[in-house]
Amino acid sequence: MRADTATNYRRLLHTRIGIALAIALCVGGFAYAGWLKPLDLLIYDWAQRLADKQPAPDILIVTIDDAGIEQLGRWPWPRSYHARAITELQQAGARAIIFDVLFSEPDQADPQSDLQLAQAIQAAGNVFLPIYISGNATGGLRESLPIPELAQSAAGLGHVHYESDNDGVCRSVFLREGVGQPRWLHL
């Protein structure tokens, strides 16, 4: 009877090991094929909701939206508007101003507005401007920086690129990016 018990135990052990290996291979195959990605994202999003982190009360996000365009006129706005916004934010006590508008070309219509914006950025002393990394005509990448007057006046420059997951939601960003070497921190 003991021999039968040992044989049954070995048979049961081999069966369980075989089932475990089959499950591991299936899960590995599903993960490799990307079939588990939607479930992974669902679990991640659910866990993030459980964290329920409230935004810091001292952060203000000013957006360019339809109401602003209706009030101030069509885009692009004169750079004097941006200079005035920076001055008002600085006077209100903003510790940092991150400006996610690229000024990669001089203002042809009003060249003095570039100087006015640079002066407002310099006076505030806490304005950070974006670097955009995008594709070029030859299929490579290029960095678009603000015009030199603005870049030199800024407290810093950083990239604002992000990648969305397959479902269109951004869950992470590259902390550093750059063409050739990742030297730009994310704003």
Side-chain angles (χ1 to χ4, degrees):
M1 185 138 185
R2 284 193 161 151
D4 287 341
T5 303
T7 302
N8 287 341
Y9 178 74
R10 270 189 252 122
R11 194 175 298 144
L12 182 62
L13 181 64
H14 289 185
T15 301
R16 288 184 178 175
I17 290 172
I19 290 172
L21 284 173
I23 290 172
L25 285 172
C26 285
V27 169
F30 291 160
Y32 181 76
W35 294 348
L36 296 179
K37 186 72 171 173
L39 178 63
D40 181 41
L41 296 177
L42 181 72
I43 292 169
Y44 180 83
D45 291 344
W46 179 73
Q48 288 299 314
R49 280 191 210 100
L50 286 179
D52 193 29
K53 286 183 160 181
Q54 294 298 318
D58 60 345
I59 294 177
L60 172 67
I61 298 175
V62 180
T63 63
I64 299 167
D65 59 5
D66 290 338
I69 290 173
E70 188 174 305
Q71 182 179 2
L72 298 174
R74 61 180 274 183
W75 186 262
W77 293 331
R79 296 197 176 165
S80 60
Y81 287 15
H82 303 297
R84 187 171 56 217
I86 289 169
T87 300
E88 289 177 12
L89 288 168
Q90 187 243 350
Q91 289 172 350
R95 290 184 290 177
I97 301 169
I98 299 174
F99 222 87
D100 190 6
V101 176
L102 182 62
F103 301 105
S104 62
E105 298 173 355
D107 187 339
Q108 299 296 333
D110 184 10
Q112 283 297 354
S113 66
D114 289 331
L115 180 61
Q116 184 181 5
L117 182 55
Q119 289 170 341
I121 291 170
Q122 182 73 41
N126 60 357
V127 178
F128 296 84
L129 296 175
I131 303 294
Y132 283 94
I133 299 173
S134 59
N136 61 23
T138 63
L141 294 175
R142 70 181 182 105
E143 296 174 344
S144 297
L145 283 75
I147 60 173
E149 303 90 86
L150 301 181
Q152 292 164 2
S153 299
L157 303 175
H159 82 88
V160 291
H161 176 247
Y162 64 91
E163 286 287 330
S164 296
D165 288 326
N166 291 343
D167 59 356
V169 177
C170 177
R171 293 180 179 85
S172 62
V173 296
F174 294 106
L175 295 180
R176 290 183 180 269
E177 273 194 358
V179 175
Q181 69 177 25
R183 66 179 179 271
W184 302 110
L185 290 172
H186 195 282
L187 283 181

